[in-house]
Amino acid sequence: ATAKATVDTGAGNDSVTLASAVAAGSTINLGAGDDKLLVSTGSVAASTATAVTSIDAGDGTDTVAAALINAANAAQFKNFEALDISAAATLDVELMTGSTITGLTLTGSAGTSVVSNVATGVGLTVSGDNTGGTHTINVKGAAAATDNTFAITFDGAAAATAPGAASIKAGTTILEGIESISIASAGGANTWNSIALTDAKLKT
């Protein structure tokens, strides 16, 4: 947690979960493939004048946990396309100047998260059990517009019996200023989906 670390996963669909602090000056290269950088109890230190921290997702459609990102270190996260909002976090997405976030994910946690300045057209994919979690998504410009849309997709493997052990649940999702929401269930047989949705302007 105090020494610089170097992680290079190379090609392939890799998943790295941080369980301790990553010191300033560390380098994480996820390489090609659809990679994930998630968190249990870890963190990423911001760069200093003498130690530059670099977190590069490389090619592919790559996911990073919002809980790892703050105002001090956000610019260090490069080439990520998806933001996982499962764990506790508060993040202005526009701080991620080195990445273009095109999707949000919930992979499974009871955390409370708030993300702001989410771009229009970004949707949410739920692929884990987020029971007990509360996730607030603020879409940029939604308050002023009157025709906002947002897509929520449930995904997950088939379960042997119902209710399945593979139940995919969103917990509580708060979307303010969205007039139209689509919800798609793409899970396999016996996979149960649920969501508690708050949206004062919802019409459709």
Side-chain angles (χ1 to χ4, degrees):
T2 57
K4 298 177 183 179
T6 300
V7 177
D8 189 344
T9 64
N13 299 329
D14 306 303
S15 182
V16 176
T17 302
L18 299 185
S20 64
V22 173
S26 296
T27 300
I28 298 177
N29 290 317
L30 299 179
D34 298 336
D35 307 309
K36 296 179 180 180
L37 181 63
L38 303 177
V39 60
S40 56
T41 56
S43 61
V44 175
S47 298
T48 68
T50 57
V52 177
T53 305
S54 176
I55 313 294
D56 193 337
D59 295 331
T61 302
D62 306 299
T63 303
V64 62
L68 293 172
I69 306 170
N70 53 54
N73 69 11
Q76 300 164 184
F77 291 83
K78 299 177 180 179
N79 296 315
F80 287 95
E81 291 76 30
L83 188 65
D84 186 69
I85 61 173
S86 303
T90 300
L91 178 64
D92 179 348
V93 178
E94 289 190 333
L95 293 173
M96 299 182 65
T97 55
S99 296
T100 300
I101 300 301
T102 58
L104 304 175
T105 65
L106 284 171
T107 55
S109 173
T112 298
S113 62
V114 179
V115 287
S116 58
N117 283 320
V118 175
T120 301
V122 171
L124 175 67
T125 300
V126 185
S127 60
D129 188 349
N130 299 273
T131 301
T134 300
H135 312 285
T136 301
I137 301 168
N138 295 309
V139 176
K140 185 176 181 179
T146 58
D147 58 350
N148 301 290
T149 62
F150 192 86
I152 299 172
T153 302
F154 288 90
D155 199 3
T161 58
S167 292
I168 309 301
K169 301 177 180 179
T172 298
T173 300
I174 301 172
L175 275 162
E176 293 299 349
I178 303 298
E179 284 78 17
S180 179
I181 296 177
S182 65
I183 300 178
S185 176
N190 297 326
T191 301
W192 284 22
N193 300 145
S194 68
I195 185 171
L197 184 63
T198 298
D199 181 357
K201 291 179 68 177
L202 183 62
K203 296 179 179 179
T204 304

